[in-house]
Amino acid sequence: MLTRKIHGLLVDVSLFTEPLGFVRVLEWIFSIFAFATCGGYKGATTILVSCQGAINKTATAVFAYPFRLNTALFSAPNPTRCNNTWTDTYLVGDFSSSAQFFVAVAVLAFLYCIAALVLYVGYMHVYRSNSKIPLIDFVVTIIGAFLWLVSTSAWAKALTDIKISTGLSIVPEIAACQLPGSTCLFASVTSMGGLNVSVVFGLLNMILWGGNAWFVYKETTLHNPPNTASQHPGIYPTPSGI
Protein backbone atom coordinates (compact mmCIF):
# COMPACT_ATOMS: atom_id res chain seq x y z
CA MET A 1 0.00 0.00 0.00
CA LEU A 2 1.47 3.34 -1.10
CA THR A 3 0.74 6.10 1.41
CA ARG A 4 1.65 9.75 1.88
CA LYS A 5 1.27 11.89 4.99
CA ILE A 6 -0.37 15.25 4.21
CA HIS A 7 -1.03 17.67 7.09
CA GLY A 8 -1.01 14.81 9.56
CA LEU A 9 -3.45 12.71 7.49
CA LEU A 10 -2.25 9.38 6.16
CA VAL A 11 -3.29 9.32 2.49
CA ASP A 12 -3.53 6.07 0.55
CA VAL A 13 -2.56 7.15 -2.99
CA SER A 14 -2.54 3.54 -4.21
CA LEU A 15 -6.34 3.80 -4.45
CA PHE A 16 -5.89 5.77 -7.68
CA THR A 17 -4.41 2.66 -9.32
CA GLU A 18 -7.29 0.43 -8.21
CA PRO A 19 -10.53 0.28 -10.26
CA LEU A 20 -12.65 1.68 -7.42
CA GLY A 21 -10.63 4.90 -7.13
CA PHE A 22 -9.53 5.20 -10.75
CA VAL A 23 -13.06 5.01 -12.15
CA ARG A 24 -14.24 7.59 -9.62
CA VAL A 25 -11.56 9.95 -10.91
CA LEU A 26 -12.82 9.41 -14.46
CA GLU A 27 -16.39 10.05 -13.32
CA TRP A 28 -15.27 13.28 -11.67
CA ILE A 29 -13.48 14.48 -14.83
CA PHE A 30 -16.25 13.48 -17.23
CA SER A 31 -18.93 15.15 -15.09
CA ILE A 32 -17.02 18.44 -15.43
CA PHE A 33 -17.00 18.12 -19.22
CA ALA A 34 -20.70 17.22 -19.22
CA PHE A 35 -21.96 20.32 -17.43
CA ALA A 36 -19.34 22.61 -18.99
CA THR A 37 -20.21 21.72 -22.60
CA CYS A 38 -23.94 22.10 -21.95
CA GLY A 39 -24.08 24.97 -19.45
CA GLY A 40 -21.47 27.08 -21.24
CA TYR A 41 -23.16 27.15 -24.65
CA LYS A 42 -24.26 30.38 -26.36
CA GLY A 43 -25.45 30.61 -29.94
CA ALA A 44 -27.55 32.56 -32.42
CA THR A 45 -29.74 31.92 -35.42
CA THR A 46 -29.86 34.43 -38.29
CA ILE A 47 -32.21 35.06 -41.19
CA LEU A 48 -31.97 37.41 -44.16
CA VAL A 49 -34.98 39.73 -44.49
CA SER A 50 -36.10 41.74 -47.49
CA CYS A 51 -39.04 44.02 -46.80
CA GLN A 52 -40.18 47.63 -47.15
CA GLY A 53 -37.06 49.76 -46.83
CA ALA A 54 -34.67 46.84 -46.35
CA ILE A 55 -32.97 44.37 -48.68
CA ASN A 56 -31.13 41.33 -47.35
CA LYS A 57 -30.87 42.69 -43.83
CA THR A 58 -30.09 40.30 -41.00
CA ALA A 59 -32.38 39.51 -38.09
CA THR A 60 -30.72 37.55 -35.29
CA ALA A 61 -32.02 35.74 -32.23
CA VAL A 62 -29.46 34.91 -29.53
CA PHE A 63 -30.04 31.91 -27.26
CA ALA A 64 -28.06 30.14 -24.57
CA TYR A 65 -28.35 27.72 -21.65
CA PRO A 66 -30.91 26.93 -20.23
CA PHE A 67 -32.48 27.18 -23.72
CA ARG A 68 -35.70 29.06 -23.06
CA LEU A 69 -36.05 29.75 -26.77
CA ASN A 70 -39.43 31.42 -26.32
CA THR A 71 -37.59 34.35 -24.72
CA ALA A 72 -35.09 34.74 -27.60
CA LEU A 73 -36.22 37.76 -29.61
CA PHE A 74 -35.21 38.40 -33.22
CA SER A 75 -33.61 41.77 -33.76
CA ALA A 76 -35.37 44.09 -36.22
CA PRO A 77 -33.89 44.06 -39.76
CA ASN A 78 -33.62 47.87 -39.85
CA PRO A 79 -34.35 50.91 -37.63
CA THR A 80 -37.74 51.49 -39.25
CA ARG A 81 -38.76 47.86 -38.54
CA CYS A 82 -39.61 47.33 -42.21
CA ASN A 83 -41.75 50.47 -42.26
CA ASN A 84 -43.42 49.29 -39.02
CA THR A 85 -44.50 45.97 -40.51
CA TRP A 86 -41.99 43.93 -38.51
CA THR A 87 -43.52 42.60 -35.29
CA ASP A 88 -41.67 41.15 -32.31
CA THR A 89 -40.78 37.58 -33.17
CA TYR A 90 -39.48 34.93 -30.78
CA LEU A 91 -38.08 31.48 -31.26
CA VAL A 92 -40.37 28.62 -30.26
CA GLY A 93 -39.93 26.21 -27.37
CA ASP A 94 -38.76 25.99 -23.77
CA PHE A 95 -36.20 23.24 -23.18
CA SER A 96 -34.90 24.50 -19.85
CA SER A 97 -36.23 21.58 -17.79
CA SER A 98 -34.24 18.95 -19.71
CA ALA A 99 -31.10 21.08 -19.90
CA GLN A 100 -31.18 22.01 -16.21
CA PHE A 101 -31.89 18.42 -15.18
CA PHE A 102 -28.86 17.24 -17.14
CA VAL A 103 -26.59 19.92 -15.66
CA ALA A 104 -27.95 19.29 -12.15
CA VAL A 105 -27.13 15.58 -12.41
CA ALA A 106 -23.64 16.42 -13.65
CA VAL A 107 -23.01 18.86 -10.79
CA LEU A 108 -24.31 16.43 -8.17
CA ALA A 109 -22.15 13.67 -9.65
CA PHE A 110 -19.15 16.00 -9.54
CA LEU A 111 -19.72 16.79 -5.85
CA TYR A 112 -20.33 13.16 -4.90
CA CYS A 113 -17.16 12.05 -6.67
CA ILE A 114 -15.14 14.59 -4.65
CA ALA A 115 -16.65 13.32 -1.39
CA ALA A 116 -16.10 9.68 -2.38
CA LEU A 117 -12.48 10.27 -3.39
CA VAL A 118 -11.74 12.02 -0.10
CA LEU A 119 -13.23 9.03 1.71
CA TYR A 120 -11.31 6.50 -0.40
CA VAL A 121 -7.97 8.24 -0.11
CA GLY A 122 -8.02 9.49 3.46
CA TYR A 123 -10.40 7.20 5.30
CA MET A 124 -10.35 3.85 3.50
CA HIS A 125 -9.85 2.06 6.81
CA VAL A 126 -13.17 3.50 8.00
CA TYR A 127 -14.82 2.67 4.66
CA ARG A 128 -13.87 -1.00 4.88
CA SER A 129 -14.44 -1.42 8.61
CA ASN A 130 -18.01 -0.06 8.50
CA SER A 131 -20.28 -2.30 6.42
CA LYS A 132 -22.92 0.44 5.98
CA ILE A 133 -20.68 2.90 4.13
CA PRO A 134 -19.89 0.66 1.11
CA LEU A 135 -23.58 -0.28 0.93
CA ILE A 136 -24.58 3.40 0.82
CA ASP A 137 -21.89 4.01 -1.81
CA PHE A 138 -23.28 1.13 -3.87
CA VAL A 139 -26.88 2.41 -3.71
CA VAL A 140 -25.82 5.96 -4.64
CA THR A 141 -23.76 4.61 -7.56
CA ILE A 142 -26.74 2.65 -8.91
CA ILE A 143 -28.98 5.71 -8.56
CA GLY A 144 -26.31 7.83 -10.25
CA ALA A 145 -26.15 5.50 -13.25
CA PHE A 146 -29.95 5.63 -13.55
CA LEU A 147 -30.03 9.44 -13.32
CA TRP A 148 -27.36 9.71 -16.02
CA LEU A 149 -29.46 7.45 -18.26
CA VAL A 150 -32.65 9.46 -17.74
CA SER A 151 -31.09 12.93 -17.90
CA THR A 152 -28.98 12.15 -20.97
CA SER A 153 -31.96 10.68 -22.81
CA ALA A 154 -34.09 13.73 -21.99
CA TRP A 155 -31.30 16.12 -22.97
CA ALA A 156 -30.62 14.29 -26.25
CA LYS A 157 -34.32 14.58 -27.18
CA ALA A 158 -34.36 18.27 -26.20
CA LEU A 159 -31.22 18.93 -28.25
CA THR A 160 -32.89 17.45 -31.32
CA ASP A 161 -35.85 19.77 -30.82
CA ILE A 162 -33.54 22.77 -30.28
CA LYS A 163 -31.87 22.10 -33.62
CA ILE A 164 -35.28 22.03 -35.31
CA SER A 165 -36.50 25.18 -33.53
CA THR A 166 -33.41 27.18 -34.51
CA GLY A 167 -33.01 25.79 -38.02
CA LEU A 168 -34.58 26.21 -41.42
CA SER A 169 -38.12 25.54 -40.16
CA ILE A 170 -38.30 28.86 -38.31
CA VAL A 171 -38.84 30.95 -41.46
CA PRO A 172 -42.46 29.87 -42.16
CA GLU A 173 -43.31 30.63 -38.51
CA ILE A 174 -42.40 34.34 -38.77
CA ALA A 175 -45.53 36.35 -39.48
CA ALA A 176 -43.69 39.37 -40.91
CA CYS A 177 -42.09 37.15 -43.55
CA GLN A 178 -45.51 36.16 -44.89
CA LEU A 179 -46.58 39.73 -45.69
CA PRO A 180 -46.82 40.82 -49.34
CA GLY A 181 -43.50 42.25 -50.53
CA SER A 182 -41.53 40.58 -47.74
CA THR A 183 -39.22 37.60 -48.11
CA CYS A 184 -37.04 35.79 -45.56
CA LEU A 185 -34.23 33.32 -46.07
CA PHE A 186 -32.54 31.22 -43.44
CA ALA A 187 -28.91 32.31 -43.12
CA SER A 188 -27.10 30.44 -40.37
CA VAL A 189 -27.14 29.01 -36.86
CA THR A 190 -24.22 28.61 -34.48
CA SER A 191 -22.68 25.14 -34.53
CA MET A 192 -23.98 22.85 -31.81
CA GLY A 193 -21.02 20.50 -31.83
CA GLY A 194 -20.32 21.27 -28.18
CA LEU A 195 -23.87 20.27 -27.26
CA ASN A 196 -23.46 17.01 -29.18
CA VAL A 197 -20.32 16.38 -27.12
CA SER A 198 -22.28 16.95 -23.91
CA VAL A 199 -24.61 14.09 -24.87
CA VAL A 200 -21.60 11.85 -25.53
CA PHE A 201 -20.19 12.69 -22.10
CA GLY A 202 -23.57 11.93 -20.58
CA LEU A 203 -23.53 8.46 -22.13
CA LEU A 204 -19.93 7.89 -21.03
CA ASN A 205 -20.85 8.90 -17.48
CA MET A 206 -23.76 6.47 -17.51
CA ILE A 207 -21.41 3.65 -18.59
CA LEU A 208 -18.79 4.61 -15.99
CA TRP A 209 -21.28 4.76 -13.13
CA GLY A 210 -22.93 1.52 -14.20
CA GLY A 211 -19.57 -0.25 -14.48
CA ASN A 212 -18.28 1.19 -11.22
CA ALA A 213 -21.30 -0.26 -9.43
CA TRP A 214 -19.61 -3.67 -9.75
CA PHE A 215 -16.40 -2.49 -8.08
CA VAL A 216 -18.36 -0.83 -5.27
CA TYR A 217 -20.53 -3.95 -4.92
CA LYS A 218 -17.38 -6.01 -4.30
CA GLU A 219 -16.68 -3.84 -1.23
CA THR A 220 -20.09 -4.55 0.31
CA THR A 221 -21.20 -7.40 2.55
CA LEU A 222 -23.52 -8.46 -0.27
CA HIS A 223 -20.46 -9.75 -2.10
CA ASN A 224 -18.32 -10.62 0.91
CA PRO A 225 -20.62 -11.70 3.76
CA PRO A 226 -18.99 -11.42 7.16
CA ASN A 227 -17.86 -14.74 8.61
CA THR A 228 -19.95 -14.98 11.76
CA ALA A 229 -19.78 -18.72 12.19
CA SER A 230 -17.91 -19.53 15.33
CA GLN A 231 -15.55 -22.39 15.41
CA HIS A 232 -16.40 -25.01 18.09
CA PRO A 233 -13.81 -27.57 19.14
CA GLY A 234 -14.78 -31.13 18.42
CA ILE A 235 -16.13 -33.19 21.30
CA TYR A 236 -14.85 -36.66 21.57
CA PRO A 237 -15.96 -39.34 24.02
CA THR A 238 -13.60 -39.85 26.88
CA PRO A 239 -12.02 -43.25 26.51
CA SER A 240 -12.95 -45.47 29.42
CA GLY A 241 -10.18 -46.94 31.37
CA ILE A 242 -9.81 -50.67 31.57
Side-chain angles (χ1 to χ4, degrees), residues 64-140:
Y65 174 85
F67 303 101
R68 293 188 178 93
L69 300 187
N70 54 359
T71 64
L73 176 67
F74 274 98
S75 60
N78 63 355
T80 63
R81 299 175 64 86
C82 293
N83 199 17
N84 294 323
T85 61
W86 179 269
T87 56
D88 286 347
T89 304
Y90 295 85
L91 292 174
V92 178
D94 182 357
F95 307 99
S96 59
S97 58
S98 297
Q100 290 175 326
F101 180 37
F102 179 79
V103 171
V105 170
V107 172
L108 290 175
F110 168 78
L111 295 175
Y112 183 78
C113 286
I114 292 178
L117 288 171
V118 170
L119 181 62
Y120 294 166
V121 174
Y123 303 95
M124 198 60 183
H125 60 288
V126 178
Y127 183 90
R128 285 177 170 158
S129 63
N130 189 328
S131 61
K132 292 183 180 179
I133 298 178
L135 189 59
I136 294 172
D137 193 18
F138 174 65
V139 172
V140 172

Side-chain angles (χ1 to χ4, degrees), residues 42-55:
K42 184 176 182 179
T45 184
T46 303
I47 60 174
L48 292 175
V49 181
S50 295
C51 59
Q52 298 181 34
I55 299 177

Side-chain angles (χ1 to χ4, degrees), residues 155-240:
W155 170 231
K157 174 61 170 62
L159 179 56
T160 300
D161 293 337
I162 290 171
K163 291 178 180 178
I164 295 174
S165 298
T166 58
L168 186 62
S169 62
I170 63 175
V171 174
E173 304 296 328
I174 301 176
C177 295
Q178 314 307 319
L179 297 175
S182 298
T183 59
C184 298
L185 297 174
F186 178 77
S188 65
V189 64
T190 305
S191 172
M192 298 186 186
L195 298 181
N196 293 333
V197 171
S198 71
V199 174
V200 173
F201 277 117
L203 294 174
L204 289 175
N205 273 294
M206 180 195 68
I207 295 171
L208 283 174
W209 281 72
N212 201 27
W214 166 248
F215 300 116
V216 179
Y217 170 76
K218 291 171 67 176
E219 299 289 337
T220 67
T221 54
L222 300 175
H223 183 262
N224 296 312
N227 186 11
T228 57
S230 60
Q231 300 297 324
H232 298 283
I235 301 176
Y236 299 96
T238 305
S240 57

